[in-house]
Amino acid sequence: MQTIRKQRVSMSEQIRLITECRRSGMTDADWCREHGIAPSTFYSWVSRCRKAAADQIPAPSYGHQDSPRPKQDVVAIDLVPDTLDSILIRYQNLPKGVHTHTDRFIFPAAAIYLTAKEYVPAEKAYSIIENAAIRNTAAMGEKLAKMMKIPGMAGLFIKMWDPISKKMFGESCGFKNVFYSKEKGAYRMDIIACPYNQYFTELDCPELTKIFCENDERTYGNLPGLKFIRTSTLGKGGWKCDFYLKKG
């Protein structure tokens, strides 16, 4: 898989990549996945290039025009960029740390869900986001499970969580936490406010918060040598998401 690394991409290169995608016969999502480009990045290119060079931006293409358009995960996927772009513009001045969650996960999920709900029942739109989350977290869970089989890795993994949580899930990223005293062979913290709950609620899709809360359970719930204990989540109406990981 080719990977487009984080660097400035000229508009001419953006147009070239968009054109390559739209003439590939693949869905935008599949093409982005194959080329290692975040969908939010791709759609921001589409929006930007449409404004500057609309005549050069092809519509999504799925092979020969006489061929039936393949069924996609999302109805009217070509409308998602406009929804996502409007969300990104609305929240463009968020702190950098918050953007690491909103631009990669929260806003793309909200844009796809809100667009899909215009064409399919809400339950179907919800399942689109949920199934994607299940696939992604299953892959991560499998990788971590293999790592935990390495002698000593379970203990090291727990020790890593203190700096990781404070960097990725701390106040600079829009979270409010309760951090507990160190416990041998365990790590514990509570999240009492998070950007997922906040921005999904502001975008009128608070139900999506539950999916992302459950990602923790899917990722860490079946790791060899470790126990992940959770009693409540913000997404299920609790006042906190508790995170308790211990050897056992």
Side-chain angles (χ1 to χ4, degrees):
M1 178 183 73
Q2 270 186 308
T3 300
I4 304 299
R5 300 191 180 279
K6 289 184 178 180
Q7 58 185 12
R8 185 173 181 82
V9 179
S10 67
M11 182 168 289
S12 61
E13 179 66 4
Q14 291 175 18
I15 293 173
R16 185 191 71 77
L17 290 167
I18 294 167
T19 302
E20 179 183 326
C21 168
R22 294 289 166 80
R23 292 177 179 172
S24 69
M26 302 170 68
T27 65
D28 291 349
D30 286 344
W31 187 91
C32 286
R33 189 179 302 113
E34 184 172 297
H35 290 76
I37 301 174
S40 58
T41 298
F42 179 83
Y43 291 140
S44 70
W45 292 350
V46 172
S47 178
R48 188 178 301 116
C49 293
R50 270 182 185 161
K51 295 172 184 176
D55 60 324
Q56 297 184 51
I57 305 303
S61 176
Y62 302 95
H64 191 276
Q65 61 182 1
D66 294 331
S67 301
R69 177 171 172 155
K71 184 178 180 181
Q72 298 193 65
D73 286 339
V74 180
V75 177
I77 191 72
D78 48 319
L79 298 180
V80 173
D82 293 330
T83 305
L84 179 59
D85 190 51
S86 67
I87 295 173
L88 291 171
I89 292 173
R90 174 179 171 182
Y91 290 103
Q92 61 184 315
N93 294 322
L94 293 175
K96 182 179 178 180
V98 178
H99 274 296
T100 61
H101 292 271
T102 57
D103 294 11
R104 291 184 61 194
F105 304 110
I106 300 171
F107 295 160
I112 293 170
Y113 178 67
L114 294 171
T115 302
K117 279 207 325 180
E118 296 180 13
Y119 298 89
V120 299
E123 295 79 6
K124 173 62 177 176
Y126 184 89
S127 70
I128 290 169
I129 305 303
E130 184 176 44
N131 290 339
I134 289 172
R135 288 194 300 269
N136 291 336
T137 51
M140 177 59 72
E142 289 176 6
K143 291 180 181 178
L144 289 175
K146 290 179 180 179
M147 289 175 58
M148 294 307 109
K149 293 179 181 179
I150 300 173
M153 183 56 71
L156 178 61
F157 186 68
I158 288 175
K159 291 179 180 179
M160 290 169 54
W161 262 103
D162 185 56
I164 287 175
S165 61
K166 290 176 179 175
K167 179 178 181 181
M168 297 180 62
F169 306 104
E171 289 189 12
S172 65
C173 292
F175 294 80
K176 291 184 179 180
N177 318 75
V178 175
F179 294 106
Y180 293 88
S181 300
K182 290 185 178 180
E183 179 182 342
K184 186 176 181 180
Y187 179 75
R188 182 185 175 195
M189 75 164 176
D190 294 337
I191 293 175
I192 58 176
C194 81
Y196 291 84
N197 190 43
Q198 177 181 345
Y199 296 112
F200 281 140
T201 299
E202 290 184 11
L203 292 168
D204 296 321
C205 50
E207 57 271 26
L208 295 186
T209 305
K210 176 175 174 285
I211 295 174
F212 287 83
C213 290
E214 290 174 345
N215 282 347
D216 286 343
E217 297 162 41
R218 287 187 282 262
T219 303
Y220 309 116
N222 295 292
L223 299 182
L226 292 172
K227 288 184 179 180
F228 178 68
I229 301 171
R230 169 160 283 174
T231 63
S232 70
T233 66
L234 296 170
K236 294 180 181 179
W239 67 272
K240 65 177 180 178
C241 285
D242 52 351
F243 189 102
Y244 187 30
L245 192 66
K246 68 176 184 177
K247 295 176 69 174

